[in-house]
Amino acid sequence: MNVLFRSLRVTIDSRFYRQVSVSMIRRTQIKKVLCVAEKNDAAKGIAEIMSNGSSRRREGYSVYNKIYEYEYHLFGQNVTVSMTSVSGHLLSLEFKAPFQKWHSCNPVLLFDAEVEKYCPENFTPIKRTLEREVRQCQALVIWTDCDREGENIGFEVIDVCKAVKPNIQVFRARFSEITPNSIRRACETLTEPDVNVSDAVDVRQELDLRIGASFTRFQTLRLQKIFPESLSDQLISYGSCQFPTLGFVVERFKAIQAFVPETFFKIKVVHEPNEEESVEFSWKRHRLFNHTACLVLYQMCMEDPMAKVISVTSKPKSKWRPLPLDTVELEKLASRKLRISAKETMKIAEKLYTQGFISYPRTETNMFPQNLNLTTLVEQQTQDNEWGNFAQRILESGGPTPRNGNKSDQAHPPIHPTKYTNSLQGNEKRLYEFIVRHFLACCSKDAQGQEVTVEIEIAEERFSASGLTIIARNYLEVYPYDKWYNKVIPLYTADTTFQPTAIEMVEGQTSPPQLLTEADLISLMEKHGIGTDATHADHIETIKSRMYVGLTADQRFLPGELGMGLVEGYNSMGYEMSKPDLRAELEADLKLVSEGRKDKASVLSYHVAKYKAVFIESVRKAKKLDEALSNYLGPAQEITEQEQGEM
Amino acid sequence: MSVGEVQVTQAWLRSQWHIQVPHAWLDACVNWIKEEADSEPVPQSLLNQRVLEQWLLTDLRDLSHPVLPERISEAQKTELTSCYSLQMDSLLDVSQPAYTQLQRIRGTDCSNDQVSAVTPETQRPWEAKPTRMLMLQLTDGVQSLEGMEYRPIPTLSTNLPPGTKLQLVGPIVVRLGVLLLKAENVKVLGGEVEQLLEIYSQSRVLSGTLGLPEENHPEDEELDD
Ligand SMILES: [Mg+2]
């Protein structure tokens, strides 16, 4: 069956490409089905929908992961369902025992040392529940989140279950939201788990382990010895996503340090035709970085200061409603508009998702699929006191007309509300409100205005001013996160002249770029392919928690001394370890593995070899790291040959 | 060498090119061209061309032959009405920050600097890309002055080598000692001055404007190694 289905994988709608035919299942009588979700909340929500609220709750070995039991019509027959959950990954990857201790081996060996998956102690109760439950079942349905990690977690569940019940039939439920329609459709279109997607996660895990452990051990052991006063107790972790992320922060900081401000000059024309009205015309030359040049032109204007109106043009101008929300946009907008960090945003979004309030928040899609009934979703929101009327007006004026982007991950729709609620509090409430307002804004119309531009000439120098009249606010009424203001300017007629109230020569200074905000950092990670939309927030959190970077009062990233030293040290070795290229190539290969276009083993061995070469070179040039850090942490401690050998 | 030949060349330079040179230089130049020709006869038209080529490659300071009206660079407001062939030592675009230009030249401009999650305010087209304004450092060999690109002059660019010779065609407005140049006022004659190539390179001019030390030339670094 595996082979047959996998050869079919190049279809457009991958959600349904491996639908399992009913006839194949009938061969073994299925009476009892084990369903496993990614988290207890999700299991509970799905069970509630499938059982119409009539599921029975049992305890498992893990106090956090309950078992929900109910009858359901599946595979064309009535079956008993046990719905339970894991808590994210059930298994971990670790080096085999001889290599686990920090001093057990030269870190370079970690690129080739044997690794194994094992179940950490705090997860064994979950494992035992699965083993006990699956014995009585004929089928296993994987209900983990429908993304790469979820697929991999699914295979962990499958491995655990197959170990005790090798002939269990395995199915995959695919869904993007925990709503009745979506869950029912998932049950009707069960597919096979996708091993390619899971493989991509295996490759990433193994590379992260080998690269992370080798570099982390190497740099921690060395630097603790060399800078005992500042680093003796510090874990100096390395990760192939962490470092490029840190690199962006350092790069921006250095760009600011290197910046040289320059003085510029410009001519400003002010016209106040009467007591109420005032308008400032800006110079078409914008600004000049030469005092004399500007002064020459200014003098010419002053000698002949009559302004002639060259043209008055009026044209419609619209402000576009937002695109459907994908993960990266959600993180960026929440960070900017709500001041909620990406990490926190994703935590809340995930909770809203498991409670059925919003669709799956990890998505790269910014266009609504044809089959999504937007009208129903808008209807749900009409009962709200604040945006209900707006939702109602969408329905009354022709229904939802979403603006669409052009990205689709073929798995999940854009993030949207799936259920109305007014029972949330704090940031959960704020984020839900944002997602609803964004959705309604996207489904409504662009704001419309009329822009008037007046162009004038004084002594053959051109200036212009423009005014804006907002005609219809449309989406802006429900979307307070965007601003658009009327700007009134006096009425001018072409070919007339007037005497400006003031002509001034003003000066200013160029300013450096600003430190990165979290939203900027996510943009950079996305631009360079560092991590995935699902992991951006985690990498940012890591460099914060390692104290490689800190946050300024206005929530911008500032590199710390350790962070600066590490990036400079590695940069000076000539290897671009804090640059995004190495990791971006890996990320691209992972995508190919997940699409079945590259094979797991060869991608793994290629990248292991590549990073191993970098590692060996880094060890050889380790003194550069000491040198760079000593600029920040004080003089390096001399270490003996023997100590060096032990590292 | 016949006196006639030299006079013909001098008249040709003056009438065709508005170039004025001292007698002594022209005599020496013609002599040198003839020596180079190794007693082959040099026809007048070829001689003219060779002299012009030499002039284009000469630093006019070496000729000490003033052609511009006296103290023109101190004039508050006047006009140049005739034609002058001058030397341009350097030029600088003053419509954009020198820092940005220097980064571009050094290849250190980093597109990441521009990344910001905030979609930029809709910029008016001329704000996004202001009209270039070059400031030219000009000399007739004795007197130095500046010229500004008052209206776009497509024949000028920052790629022109230091020491390029220009023909300026009046009438040209002069204010605060600066020539206000338009396309019809400027003809690029060409040439360069070898000794100036390094000191007036764009990179040096920009660093100087910013008060930054000039980065080591790559070849110098290799020597150090
Ligand atoms: Mg997940």
Side-chain angles (χ1 to χ4, degrees):
Chain A
M1 200 166 79
N2 276 344
V3 178
L4 173 73
F5 282 113
R6 208 151 295 132
S7 61
L8 287 175
R9 40 170 318 125
V10 225
T11 56
I12 309 276
D13 190 354
S14 61
R15 290 168 79 181
F16 304 121
Y17 64 82
R18 272 189 261 154
Q19 197 165 325
V20 179
S21 74
V22 175
S23 62
M24 294 191 74
I25 298 146
R26 287 240 171 91
R27 278 183 288 158
T28 354
Q29 186 65 24
I30 297 175
K31 292 195 185 114
K32 198 160 182 199
V33 177
L34 178 63
C35 292
V36 184
E38 193 165 313
K39 297 209 170 85
N40 184 63
D41 276 354
K44 188 177 161 194
I46 297 164
E48 202 160 283
I49 289 170
M50 288 175 77
S51 69
N52 281 321
S54 66
S55 71
R56 304 171 292 278
R57 198 179 91 175
R58 282 200 286 124
E59 294 297 315
Y61 290 109
S62 155
V63 288
Y64 307 107
N65 304 81
K66 310 293 180 194
I67 304 163
Y68 303 90
E69 226 160 37
Y70 47 91
E71 318 304 316
Y72 195 79
H73 197 76
L74 204 60
F75 312 119
Q77 59 199 313
N78 289 322
V79 297
T80 304
V81 175
S82 294
M83 168 67 75
T84 187
S85 56
V86 287
S87 296
H89 279 285
L90 180 60
L91 306 180
S92 286
L93 192 68
E94 193 37 286
F95 293 105
K96 287 206 167 163
F99 303 98
Q100 281 176 14
K101 288 252 167 58
W102 272 51
H103 291 277
S104 61
C105 67
N106 185 324
V108 74
L109 296 179
L110 298 176
F111 284 96
D112 306 292
E114 266 193 273
V115 293
E116 61 186 349
K117 280 201 177 183
Y118 74 106
C119 182
E121 213 176 350
N122 48 338
F123 290 105
T124 46
I126 298 175
K127 183 172 173 243
R128 285 174 61 209
T129 306
L130 295 179
E131 288 166 344
R132 184 184 73 192
E133 295 300 315
V134 78
R135 281 182 219 276
Q136 300 139 42
C137 297
Q138 294 78 45
L140 169 66
V141 182
I142 302 299
W143 284 89
T144 49
D145 295 347
C146 292
D147 57 14
R148 268 195 209 168
E149 293 303 319
E151 212 63 26
N152 190 264
I153 295 168
F155 275 91
E156 293 172 359
V157 171
I158 294 167
D159 288 348
V160 165
C161 290
K162 281 206 161 170
V164 295
K165 186 134 186 176
N167 61 344
I168 187 96
Q169 293 193 60
V170 179
F171 304 94
R172 175 72 161 121
R174 297 200 183 273
F175 57 104
S176 289
E177 47 193 64
I178 302 177
T179 57
N181 276 338
S182 177
I183 297 301
R184 197 175 316 118
R185 193 167 49 233
C187 290
E188 286 162 7
T189 56
L190 289 177
T191 67
E192 267 193 76
D194 189 332
V195 73
N196 292 328
V197 172
S198 173
D199 279 352
V201 176
D202 283 339
V203 173
R204 182 196 51 75
Q205 278 179 340
E206 189 172 333
L207 286 171
D208 281 351
L209 176 66
R210 293 188 188 282
I211 297 163
S214 53
F215 276 98
T216 301
R217 285 187 200 180
F218 152 68
Q219 68 185 23
T220 303
L221 293 176
R222 179 179 184 92
L223 297 173
Q224 281 182 348
K225 278 235 175 68
I226 288 176
F227 301 101
E229 270 165 43
S230 19
L231 299 178
S232 63
D233 296 321
Q234 188 131 4
L235 174 73
I236 306 162
S237 72
Y238 178 89
S240 60
C241 279
Q242 248 178 72
F243 259 57
T245 307
L246 170 61
F248 293 133
V249 175
V250 172
E251 178 185 68
R252 176 60 63 93
F253 180 74
K254 288 182 165 270
I256 294 167
Q257 279 189 318
F259 186 83
V260 182
E262 290 168 74
T263 305
F264 58 80
F265 306 88
K266 54 163 94 186
I267 302 175
K268 182 176 115 177
V269 175
V270 178
H271 185 213
E272 291 165 358
N274 50 57
E275 299 218 327
E276 284 91 55
E277 291 181 302
S278 172
V279 60
E280 188 182 314
F281 288 85
S282 49
W283 197 15
K284 279 222 163 184
R285 290 190 196 268
H286 191 35
R287 54 187 185 176
L288 290 178
F289 291 82
N290 182 294
H291 182 262
T292 315
C294 189
L295 188 60
V296 162
L297 299 171
Y298 174 67
Q299 284 188 354
M300 288 166 73
C301 289
M302 291 305 279
E303 283 171 23
D304 180 17
M306 188 58 84
K308 183 178 179 200
V309 180
I310 300 297
S311 67
V312 180
T313 49
S314 174
K315 59 172 196 289
K317 193 171 170 128
S318 41
K319 189 168 172 66
W320 290 347
R321 60 200 190 282
L323 284 171
L325 205 52
D326 59 31
T327 304
V328 170
E329 277 308 301
L330 173 71
E331 288 174 341
K332 289 200 284 194
L333 288 169
S335 173
R336 271 173 47 215
K337 309 284 185 182
L338 309 178
R339 301 261 159 205
I340 303 176
S341 76
K343 179 83 183 165
E344 179 72 7
T345 297
M346 291 318 290
K347 208 176 108 197
I348 297 170
E350 207 135 327
K351 198 167 169 206
L352 293 173
Y353 157 73
T354 43
Q355 293 172 326
F357 293 133
I358 63 167
S359 62
Y360 193 58
R362 299 194 189 281
T363 172
E364 289 168 32
T365 307
N366 65 359
M367 53 206 288
F368 284 112
Q370 294 286 317
N371 59 2
L372 191 69
N373 190 340
L374 298 171
T375 306
T376 320
L377 297 173
V378 173
E379 255 162 27
Q380 291 173 354
Q381 301 297 333
T382 55
Q383 54 189 302
D384 189 83
N385 285 334
E386 285 188 60
W387 56 79
N389 286 338
F390 187 88
Q392 188 62 43
R393 280 210 299 284
I394 292 181
L395 297 173
E396 283 162 8
S397 54
T401 48
R403 184 175 164 217
N404 272 325
N406 52 13
K407 290 187 292 179
S408 172
D409 58 15
Q410 303 290 353
H412 299 287
I415 303 163
H416 61 271
T418 50
K419 192 160 83 182
Y420 176 72
T421 176
N422 59 4
S423 61
L424 298 168
Q425 297 299 323
N427 278 349
E428 285 177 29
K429 181 188 160 90
R430 292 173 69 222
L431 194 67
Y432 176 76
E433 173 173 344
F434 170 76
I435 290 167
V436 172
R437 287 182 181 274
H438 190 100
F439 170 71
L440 293 175
C442 169
C443 285
S444 76
K445 296 191 178 77
D446 294 341
Q448 300 296 341
Q450 192 73 17
E451 189 186 55
V452 176
T453 305
V454 181
E455 224 180 288
I456 60 165
E457 199 177 82
I458 302 170
E460 292 182 51
E461 287 300 298
R462 291 279 172 113
F463 302 83
S464 81
S466 55
L468 176 73
T469 313
I470 298 172
I471 296 164
R473 293 184 61 77
N474 292 336
Y475 89 90
L476 289 170
E477 285 173 33
V478 79
Y479 202 68
Y481 319 103
D482 273 0
K483 310 271 183 239
W484 212 32
Y485 298 112
N486 273 311
K487 190 183 162 201
V488 183
I489 60 164
L491 205 61
Y492 290 95
T493 315
D495 296 324
T496 57
T497 57
F498 64 88
Q499 186 79 40
T501 313
I503 303 176
E504 289 168 51
M505 177 161 151
V506 291
E507 68 172 76
Q509 255 204 345
T510 56
S511 49
Q514 285 193 292
L515 288 170
L516 296 174
T517 62
E518 187 175 40
D520 298 334
L521 192 49
I522 292 170
S523 303
L524 284 169
M525 294 171 80
E526 195 191 17
K527 178 181 162 197
H528 292 280
I530 297 304
T532 63
D533 57 333
T535 59
H536 291 154
D538 296 322
H539 300 313
I540 294 175
E541 207 53 35
T542 309
I543 60 168
K544 277 201 269 185
S545 69
R546 296 287 179 229
M547 314 285 268
Y548 293 161
V549 301
L551 280 176
T552 61
D554 62 342
Q555 301 295 302
R556 289 175 181 273
F557 287 94
L558 189 67
E561 292 180 329
L562 183 55
M564 288 285 285
L566 288 171
V567 168
E568 284 173 9
Y570 282 115
N571 280 353
S572 72
M573 291 178 189
Y575 269 103
E576 312 264 280
M577 309 224 326
S578 66
K579 297 278 159 61
D581 314 339
L582 268 176
R583 180 69 197 197
E585 189 190 353
L586 162 56
E587 217 70 66
D589 274 350
L590 291 181
K591 189 150 192 291
L592 293 174
V593 172
S594 76
E595 290 164 352
R597 290 158 62 193
K598 263 198 182 178
D599 115 283
K600 176 180 175 175
S602 64
V603 167
L604 194 55
S605 64
Y606 171 78
H607 288 280
V608 165
K610 200 162 160 183
Y611 271 96
K612 185 177 174 182
V614 175
F615 180 84
I616 291 169
E617 201 56 12
S618 300
V619 171
R620 202 172 65 77
K621 295 178 177 166
K623 269 222 172 313
K624 301 234 179 206
L625 204 54
D626 310 346
E627 282 162 20
L629 275 159
S630 66
N631 291 330
Y632 299 98
L633 306 176
Q637 195 86 32
E638 286 299 324
I639 50 168
T640 61
E641 285 288 320
Q642 192 203 342
E643 279 177 305
Q644 183 128 17
E646 282 166 9
M647 282 178 195
Chain B
M1 180 178 75
S2 87
V3 176
E5 252 180 335
V6 176
Q7 276 168 347
V8 171
T9 301
Q10 185 163 35
W12 178 79
L13 284 174
R14 191 174 290 218
S15 63
Q16 295 292 305
W17 301 96
H18 302 280
I19 293 171
Q20 298 181 41
V21 291
H23 277 290
W25 179 83
L26 189 57
D27 281 346
C29 186
V30 170
N31 268 334
W32 178 80
I33 291 165
K34 296 206 151 180
E35 275 166 32
E36 289 288 295
D38 216 7
S39 68
E40 291 277 321
V42 182
Q44 183 75 48
S45 61
L46 185 61
L47 185 66
N48 291 350
Q49 282 304 329
R50 288 280 152 82
V51 171
L52 177 63
E53 278 163 23
Q54 287 310 308
W55 181 80
L56 289 171
L57 298 175
T58 299
D59 187 344
L60 298 193
R61 271 170 281 256
D62 296 343
L63 306 188
S64 299
H65 190 78
V67 296
L68 286 165
E70 255 178 71
R71 308 180 74 137
I72 186 80
S73 64
E74 290 160 37
Q76 283 298 306
K77 186 177 166 184
T78 182
E79 205 171 61
L80 284 185
T81 45
S82 46
C83 287
Y84 303 91
S85 289
L86 303 177
Q87 173 171 312
M88 181 185 72
D89 285 336
S90 67
L91 76 182
L92 174 68
D93 182 0
V94 298
S95 70
Q96 41 172 336
Y99 188 68
T100 318
Q101 299 179 62
L102 186 62
Q103 279 187 309
R104 207 175 297 141
I105 285 181
R106 289 183 177 169
T108 51
D109 67 324
C110 177
S111 57
N112 288 350
D113 291 356
Q114 267 89 54
V115 167
S116 162
V118 186
T119 328
E121 293 286 304
T122 19
Q123 280 191 319
R124 311 200 184 290
W126 67 83
E127 282 179 3
K129 202 175 182 300
T131 328
R132 179 184 74 174
M133 184 189 278
L134 296 169
M135 286 297 280
L136 285 55
Q137 300 299 321
L138 303 165
T139 181
D140 66 356
V142 176
Q143 199 180 173
S144 294
L145 83 171
E146 286 186 307
M148 64 190 256
E149 190 182 19
Y150 177 55
R151 297 283 176 248
I153 307 172
T155 50
L156 293 181
S157 94
T158 48
N159 293 329
L160 289 176
T164 296
K165 307 301 184 291
L166 303 179
Q167 187 184 105
L168 300 188
V169 184
I172 298 170
V173 174
V174 185
R175 278 178 172 262
L176 305 181
V178 179
L179 309 179
L180 273 62
L181 302 171
K182 304 177 183 180
E184 62 264 33
N185 301 129
V186 180
K187 206 162 132 191
V188 177
L189 302 178
E192 61 178 42
V193 174
E194 208 184 336
Q195 306 90 284
L196 302 182
L197 293 182
E198 194 57 36
I199 55 170
Y200 289 127
S201 68
Q202 271 294 296
S203 161
R204 283 266 188 115
V205 169
L206 291 165
S207 309
T209 306
L210 293 165
L212 291 176
E214 169 65 3
E215 274 193 347
N216 274 346
H217 210 262
E219 280 132 340
D220 298 345
E221 260 175 55
E222 266 165 44
L223 289 179
D224 286 347
D225 258 355

